[in-house]
Amino acid sequence: MAASSPTSAHWLSLVGSVWLQTINGPNADFPVYSSQLKEIKGISQVQLNFLAFASDAGKLFGWVAGVAALHLPLWAVALTGAAFGLVGYGVQFLFLDRAGLAYWHLFALTSLAGNGICWINTVCYLLCINNFRADSRVAVSLATSYLGLSAKLYTTMAETMPRAARARYSTTEVYLLLNAVVPMAVALVAAPSLRVVEQIKDTARRTEGPFLAMFAITLATGACAIVGSIGAKSIGLSTREHMVSLYVLLALPLLIPVALRARESMRKIRETKWESRVHDHDSDGPETTAVSVSVLELVAEDKQEQQAGGQLQEVEQSAAAAASTASQEEVGGLLLLRKLDFWLYFFSYMFSGTLGLVFLNNLGQIAESRGLADASTLVSLSSSFGFFGRLLPAFLDYYTAKSGYSLSRTASMACLMAPMSGAFFLLLHPRDMFLYASTAVVGTCTGAITSVAASATNELFGAKNFGVNHNVVVANIPLGSLCFGYLAAFLYQRGAHGGNRCLGAACYRDSFVLWGATCALGTALCTVLYARSRGSAGRLPR
């Protein structure tokens, strides 16, 4: 089978995936309105922590989305996930002030919305893997990197809401409304592009140009997000202007499938003209016919060379893949739980990426305890740097694959955990500058670790049982969110001395020490894992 190149329809599906990922983190803005929600509903810090955990708890049933994707069109799966979010956040928006909306209602609705995130993620993963088979790792990393922009996008939209809406609704209600409506609106717009497209055999075309264009647009989008997070007003850029520039950059990827579609149309026109010219030559006489035959023979020879090159490339890929598979053990089922490598990986992930998510979920309370008037700046900062953290593996995959080598995922994770541990200890300093710097570091490392994790599962335990294996691994997220989040809430509540609000750097001091030590332990575990499994990384199929 000859090599295949993505067409405009394939790239349109990637654009749809990018848009879905951008709005698929409505839970990421929870820290912005969590303090106000606690006051409105009169709940404690521990109860508030369980609400943050509720979104992760919904992911325990994410496997249902995978089963649905086997029987339903991908656009239907995406709309189902968006509908879960519409109900989960929409009901909270409509009845937030009502006494009838009890705490357990909030928990159940938040869990439903959290499960909806899994449905949309499933669609994006399947589109990237099936429509970009030769570059699936790059496509997945590119699309999922935009998930890091969700919090930034929602905070920007909230800040630019009409004054009448902001006067009528509380901050909590504004965010709940956006979380409910925006995913459904984007899913409806992107639905026509959410389909797996048949691969076209074509060895002559390359994908470097579109990928490079996508990287350039993605970098510009991330730079725009960081400028808006650090201080757009300081450079004379209003919040509304920043929002418009962000929207324009998010729309720019659409130019790639449009340009490819125009090129495909031009090529078809040229082929039609060529066929007509050959037909005219055939009717002119024997001499012209001989010339036409010669030209057709040259074209046929060129096609044969392309097919031969494609077959040779496939043979090389098959040989390399066979060598890679031979050196990689396929693990699945209960055997996975008997592997020491699995538990090293499980806890190193929980002590780093999951711990970072717990920190980000507590940003609202951390900002309040430090005396910051608005937590949205911290949330936007973590979102923007998390975006670049998620994008980093895509760059590494794209450029290292050209040399035929891949970086060990476990080594990458260990390298990312070390600065993350240092950032937690840096948070012990009471100055705001260290808070912002540490938030940027934790956001970047958390984003990169969560992006690398999917490939790490494949690297360690093989591709055959990847779906089941990775769902077992990510079970550490709700477990870690519950354990670390509850511990932080308990220590915060103890510092409040019977009240619901704690002020001062001491509120999270013990939590930061424990988080830093835990992350350092995770770094050590991941280093041991790398030492045990470094033979799994090496040459890639070329």
Side-chain angles (χ1 to χ4, degrees):
M1 182 177 177
S4 56
S5 296
T7 63
S8 58
H10 296 84
W11 282 96
L12 186 60
S13 70
L14 181 62
V15 174
S17 299
V18 163
W19 289 350
L20 286 177
Q21 288 290 288
T22 304
I23 52 83
N24 198 34
N27 58 330
D29 59 28
F30 180 76
V32 180
Y33 64 86
S34 59
S35 296
Q36 189 179 79
L37 178 64
K38 184 170 69 171
E39 295 179 1
I40 292 175
K41 302 306 293 183
I43 57 180
S44 67
Q45 181 65 28
V46 174
Q47 290 175 308
L48 186 69
N49 170 74
F50 280 120
L51 283 183
F53 160 73
S55 181
D56 294 326
K59 297 174 183 176
L60 290 173
F61 300 95
W63 57 270
V64 179
V67 174
L70 297 175
H71 305 284
L72 297 175
L74 292 183
W75 61 264
V77 177
L79 289 176
T80 302
F84 286 170
L86 181 65
V87 174
Y89 289 115
V91 173
Q92 293 185 59
F93 165 75
L94 292 173
F95 302 102
L96 184 65
D97 294 329
R98 308 284 181 86
L101 187 67
Y103 176 78
W104 73 268
H105 293 144
L106 292 176
F107 187 94
L109 291 168
T110 304
S111 297
L112 179 65
N115 183 254
I117 293 174
C118 298
W119 289 67
I120 296 179
N121 277 338
T122 298
V123 171
C124 296
Y125 287 141
L126 290 176
L127 285 174
C128 292
I129 292 172
N130 292 321
N131 284 344
F132 294 86
R133 293 175 184 173
D135 302 289
S136 60
R137 290 171 68 176
V138 180
V140 169
S141 295
L142 264 174
T144 55
S145 66
Y146 279 83
L147 184 61
L149 279 183
S150 288
K152 173 61 182 174
L153 184 67
Y154 283 109
T155 54
T156 302
M157 286 190 290
E159 291 171 358
T160 54
M161 287 278 284
R163 291 184 179 179
R166 284 186 287 174
R168 180 179 179 181
Y169 302 116
S170 65
T171 300
T172 302
E173 290 174 320
V174 167
Y175 278 99
L176 290 174
L177 177 63
L178 291 174
N179 292 350
V181 174
V182 172
M184 177 57 76
V186 174
L188 288 172
V189 171
S193 67
L194 306 180
R195 59 190 180 92
V196 176
V197 186
E198 183 181 355
Q199 298 287 314
I200 295 178
K201 300 175 184 179
D202 188 351
T203 58
R205 288 187 291 163
R206 299 290 182 181
T207 58
E208 282 85 349
F211 270 120
L212 290 176
M214 192 67 198
F215 277 132
I217 294 172
T218 305
L219 285 173
T221 305
C224 177
I226 286 183
V227 167
S229 301
I230 294 178
K233 295 181 180 179
S234 62
I235 61 174
L237 185 67
S238 68
T239 304
R240 191 167 299 276
E241 290 171 342
H242 173 63
M243 181 192 70
V244 172
S245 62
L246 199 59
Y247 286 170
V248 170
L249 287 169
L250 288 173
L252 274 182
L254 193 60
L255 294 178
I256 296 176
V258 170
L260 289 175
R261 180 61 179 170
R263 191 175 68 178
E264 292 166 5
S265 300
M266 292 299 296
R267 187 173 64 254
K268 289 181 180 179
I269 293 173
R270 286 196 299 268
E271 290 175 354
T272 303
K273 289 183 177 180
W274 175 256
E275 291 175 359
S276 299
R277 187 180 305 172
V278 171
H279 182 269
D280 293 340
H281 284 325
D282 287 344
S283 61
D284 287 343
E287 185 174 331
T288 307
T289 302
V291 175
S292 300
V293 171
S294 300
V295 173
L296 290 174
E297 288 177 350
L298 289 174
V299 173
E301 290 177 2
D302 182 61
K303 288 185 176 180
Q304 288 177 357
E305 289 178 0
Q306 288 184 3
Q307 291 177 356
Q311 291 173 356
L312 178 60
Q313 184 181 22
E314 184 187 5
V315 170
E316 291 176 351
Q317 287 180 345
S318 300
S324 176
T325 304
S327 63
Q328 182 185 58
E329 183 183 4
E330 293 286 350
V331 182
L334 294 177
L335 182 61
L336 182 71
L337 303 180
R338 300 173 185 172
K339 290 285 185 180
L340 176 60
D341 286 355
F342 166 77
W343 293 109
L344 289 172
Y345 178 42
F346 185 90
F347 285 110
S348 61
Y349 189 170
M350 188 169 78
F351 294 166
S352 56
T354 300
L355 189 58
L357 294 176
V358 173
F359 167 76
L360 298 178
N361 284 337
N362 281 272
L363 269 182
Q365 304 303 308
I366 293 172
E368 182 185 61
S369 67
R370 294 290 185 97
L372 299 181
D374 188 8
S376 62
T377 303
L378 269 181
V379 175
S380 297
L381 186 69
S382 65
S383 176
S384 301
F385 278 91
F387 169 77
F388 275 108
R390 290 174 178 270
L391 183 61
L392 182 61
F395 279 110
L396 295 177
D397 285 336
Y398 185 75
Y399 287 105
T400 57
K402 288 186 175 182
S403 63
Y405 289 89
S406 66
L407 295 176
S408 169
R409 294 316 205 190
T410 51
S412 301
M413 290 178 66
C415 292
L416 290 165
M417 293 177 193
M420 191 172 171
S421 176
F424 283 127
F425 287 114
L426 194 63
L427 285 166
L428 296 173
H429 199 286
R431 291 185 60 182
D432 292 344
M433 179 183 68
F434 292 99
L435 174 61
Y436 285 106
S438 298
T439 300
V441 173
V442 174
T444 302
C445 295
T446 301
I449 289 171
T450 54
S451 180
V452 166
S455 299
T457 304
N458 182 34
E459 178 183 294
L460 290 169
F461 310 116
K464 183 178 179 180
N465 302 290
F466 170 79
V468 175
N469 291 345
H470 196 60
N471 278 319
V472 173
V473 170
V474 298
N476 80 84
I477 295 178
L479 177 62
S481 177
L482 177 63
C483 296
F484 297 127
Y486 176 79
L487 178 61
F490 173 78
L491 294 174
Y492 176 95
Q493 200 70 41
R494 190 178 64 178
H497 302 294
N500 281 339
R501 179 177 298 182
C502 178
L503 298 176
C507 296
Y508 280 91
R509 181 180 57 204
D510 293 340
S511 296
F512 292 151
V513 172
L514 290 173
W515 290 351
T518 301
C519 194
L521 176 60
T523 306
L525 292 177
C526 200
T527 302
V528 174
L529 178 62
Y530 166 66
R532 288 174 51 85
S533 61
R534 54 186 172 183
S536 299
R539 293 200 61 86
L540 283 172
R542 298 190 69 177

